[in-house]
Amino acid sequence: MLTEQQKQLLHKLIDKYENRSAYGANEKLKQRVKIGINEREFPDYYHTSESNYRKEFNIDCSELEKAGYLICDWEKFSKGEELKRISLHEDAVPKILRVLNRKSKSEQYCQMEHICLELMQEAPRELHTFYDDMLQQIRNINPLPSIFSLKSEDETRRAIHGLNQLFLNDKEITMRKWSIKLYNDSKEFEYYGKRIINVIKKYVSPDKEDMDEKGILETFGVTVKPLMVKIYGKWVIQTDYGKIDFAADRFGIGIHPENLSILNTELLDVKAIVTIENETSYYDYIEYCHSNQLDHLVVYLGGFHNSARRKILVSISECVNARKMDVNFFHWGDIDLGGMFIYKRLCEDTGIFFTPIYMDPKTYLKFVEHGSPITETYIQKISALLEKNEFSMFHDVIPLILNYKRKIEQEIVDINM
């Protein structure tokens, strides 16, 4: 029967053995896996007032050596009294793993491969590249992102299931209800949240790198609390809950998109439809419409839109097309990497061509002194957009961002200046 200290020492040696870069290679390395006995690693070993600790430690190591698990190297002329280092007997690794009731790293990686192959079956198209990459990393026994827990198959399976379902979600739902839906527990999704977000940022949507966890989850329809879509303009609709006139209030009407089931449009009398990322800018634009007597329909999206908001925009577009109205769609967002990706996704997901406004070189130069500095990594990412035709509408402003090394958030832009 091993003592707790003996188990800890063996776990420590196995960890070091399995964390070597050459782990899994057929050839045996000449250099032994060892742990130095020093004050940093084992401070109690050097406490003169606690000689019992050293004696017990030495006895534990000597017993492990007799069992063939490790090799003790003693300080010169201090054999049996002061250890210099302990080294792992690699031939004994299978036996040590059995004694510790521990699975080898290879076995753990095999389990991760099984989970990937299983959950890949339910995964949406957007995650296939992630799964392909993970399978390659697993088969090469490379480090894996934190969404994988080598010590817990169940935790890994539940976390990756949460990732899959996030991409499959087609409605707006609070995080508490979302967690209950997935795990029958109102808090469990929060436990996996950061790991899931890290996967999205690194492997799926690098354009979301600058967004916080809350913002990213909202793009998938998972919110801390119900989010209202705010709309202003001459649009009157009939819904399951009655009539809504979005011009009834000076700043429009806020609605929950899940409750907006449009039966028919009674009135749509506008010259343009404008979607806006930032809430403050939404109110500024409405004031601008009042001051200049503009009949625009203004929609506050709140960053990346999701499926619930997409339905509203598509309904407006269908009405415009059905009535053959001469109306254009515009979008106003941040003059930065995220703003450009939001614009691109907005056009692609709705099938509507939006013309960007206040995201041009003139606006950039006017407010650049108030912009935020960007990093070298950011510079590389936004430079890459110059090679992509789908971002051609921003190819005139990107060189300015690279030159001034600043990005501009929407609320900085004062359209009344």
Side-chain angles (χ1 to χ4, degrees):
M1 179 72 72
L2 297 178
T3 67
E4 283 304 312
Q5 184 163 251
Q6 287 173 330
K7 290 177 184 177
Q8 289 173 14
L9 288 171
L10 291 177
H11 276 300
K12 201 164 189 176
L13 284 166
I14 294 294
D15 286 343
K16 200 162 187 180
Y17 169 76
E18 293 187 332
N19 286 333
R20 293 182 305 175
S21 58
Y23 178 81
N26 292 326
E27 289 187 20
K28 227 179 169 183
L29 293 182
K30 293 180 181 179
Q31 192 172 15
R32 293 184 302 182
V33 173
K34 53 194 174 185
I35 297 173
I37 309 302
N38 53 57
E39 198 165 0
R40 182 176 63 83
E41 290 279 356
F42 305 99
D44 291 338
Y45 192 81
Y46 293 90
H47 287 177
T48 54
S49 61
E50 288 291 336
S51 57
N52 284 340
Y53 178 86
R54 179 181 288 201
K55 287 178 184 177
E56 290 174 5
F57 191 95
N58 290 344
I59 291 169
D60 280 343
C61 289
S62 295
E63 288 178 351
L64 290 173
E65 185 175 41
K66 286 178 184 176
Y69 297 151
L70 55 78
I71 301 163
C72 294
D73 291 326
W74 302 90
E75 292 289 351
K76 196 173 183 180
F77 308 118
S78 298
K79 186 174 181 179
E81 295 179 6
E82 186 175 352
L83 276 164
K84 186 176 183 179
R85 70 178 67 87
I86 56 175
S87 306
L88 178 69
H89 253 313
E90 293 192 20
D91 291 340
V93 167
K95 187 177 178 182
I96 293 172
L97 290 170
R98 287 196 298 273
V99 168
L100 294 175
N101 193 27
R102 168 173 171 166
K103 291 179 180 177
S104 71
K105 188 175 181 179
S106 296
E107 288 177 302
Q108 291 172 333
Y109 268 67
C110 282
Q111 290 169 346
M112 296 302 109
E113 181 178 13
H114 176 74
I115 291 169
C116 266
L117 291 171
E118 175 190 329
L119 293 182
M120 195 175 184
Q121 303 305 312
E122 70 174 41
R125 175 183 50 82
E126 297 96 321
L127 288 174
H128 284 182
T129 301
F130 163 72
Y131 277 98
D132 290 341
D133 189 32
M134 289 304 99
L135 287 170
Q136 184 177 350
Q137 299 303 316
I138 288 168
R139 287 160 185 168
N140 292 327
I141 316 183
N142 290 333
L144 300 173
S146 60
I147 198 167
F148 290 90
S149 175
L150 293 179
K151 294 180 180 179
S152 175
E153 293 178 63
D154 185 59
E155 192 169 298
T156 300
R157 184 176 280 103
R158 292 169 80 83
I160 298 179
H161 173 68
L163 172 69
N164 280 351
Q165 292 304 308
L166 200 61
F167 279 82
L168 293 170
N169 183 40
D170 62 354
K171 67 176 187 177
E172 203 158 286
I173 186 171
T174 62
M175 192 182 299
R176 185 181 66 82
K177 290 182 178 179
W178 176 247
S179 188
I180 292 171
K181 177 182 176 182
L182 292 186
Y183 309 113
N184 200 31
D185 183 297
S186 64
K187 295 288 186 182
E188 188 168 349
F189 184 77
E190 289 182 43
Y191 178 69
Y192 305 122
K194 282 187 172 58
R195 291 180 248 179
I196 290 172
I197 296 304
N198 287 340
V199 167
I200 293 171
K201 285 183 175 183
K202 186 173 181 180
Y203 298 95
V204 187
S205 301
D207 50 283
K208 292 183 171 70
E209 186 177 351
D210 291 338
M211 296 177 69
D212 60 17
E213 183 177 333
K214 175 175 170 288
I216 290 175
L217 290 176
E218 286 176 0
T219 69
F220 291 98
V222 179
T223 65
V224 176
K225 60 182 181 181
L227 292 179
M228 308 299 280
V229 174
K230 297 179 181 178
I231 302 174
Y232 163 80
K234 295 178 181 178
W235 187 30
V236 181
I237 60 174
Q238 191 70 39
T239 75
D240 289 337
Y241 300 96
K243 184 184 296 187
I244 301 176
D245 181 355
F246 291 101
D249 183 89
R250 179 178 178 83
F251 291 104
I253 303 292
I255 56 169
H256 191 284
E258 285 298 315
N259 291 333
L260 186 63
S261 176
I262 302 173
L263 300 179
N264 68 282
T265 293
E266 291 189 5
L267 172 73
L268 182 61
D269 185 15
V270 295
K271 299 293 188 289
I273 290 95
V274 183
T275 58
I276 295 179
E277 277 183 52
N278 180 270
E279 189 173 12
T280 299
S281 299
Y282 164 80
Y283 290 115
D284 287 346
Y285 195 85
I286 291 174
E287 285 291 8
Y288 179 75
C289 288
H290 287 310
S291 300
N292 294 275
Q293 298 182 332
L294 300 175
D295 287 330
H296 290 182
L297 186 69
V298 189
V299 183
Y300 164 59
L301 294 176
F304 277 89
H305 75 289
N306 53 37
S307 59
R309 285 154 174 72
R310 179 169 68 245
K311 290 176 184 176
I312 294 174
L313 295 174
V314 170
S315 293
I316 296 169
S317 177
E318 288 174 349
C319 181
V320 167
N321 293 332
R323 300 184 181 199
K324 298 181 180 179
M325 298 172 64
D326 185 17
V327 171
N328 292 320
F329 287 76
F330 299 91
H331 176 73
W332 179 18
D334 297 336
I335 310 178
D336 65 6
L337 187 66
M340 293 173 192
F341 271 98
I342 287 172
Y343 169 81
K344 174 177 173 288
R345 183 178 165 192
L346 184 64
C347 293
E348 289 177 348
D349 287 1
T350 61
I352 303 168
F353 177 74
F354 289 81
T355 301
I357 56 172
Y358 303 117
M359 300 174 75
D360 56 282
K362 182 180 177 182
T363 304
Y364 181 87
L365 291 171
K366 190 173 182 179
F367 297 97
V368 66
E369 63 181 295
H370 303 296
S372 305
I374 58 178
T375 64
E376 285 302 317
T377 302
Y378 190 98
I379 288 171
Q380 292 174 12
K381 288 181 178 180
I382 202 164
S383 296
L385 302 191
L386 290 171
E387 305 299 321
K388 299 180 178 181
N389 290 331
E390 59 265 40
F391 293 96
S392 60
M393 68 291 299
F394 300 116
H395 284 180
D396 53 356
V397 75
I398 290 174
L400 294 176
I401 296 175
L402 297 173
N403 181 51
Y404 288 93
K405 293 182 171 59
R406 287 181 177 272
K407 60 182 180 179
I408 295 178
E409 294 179 351
Q410 187 179 2
E411 59 264 39
I412 291 172
V413 176
D414 185 354
I415 60 177
N416 293 304
M417 285 181 63

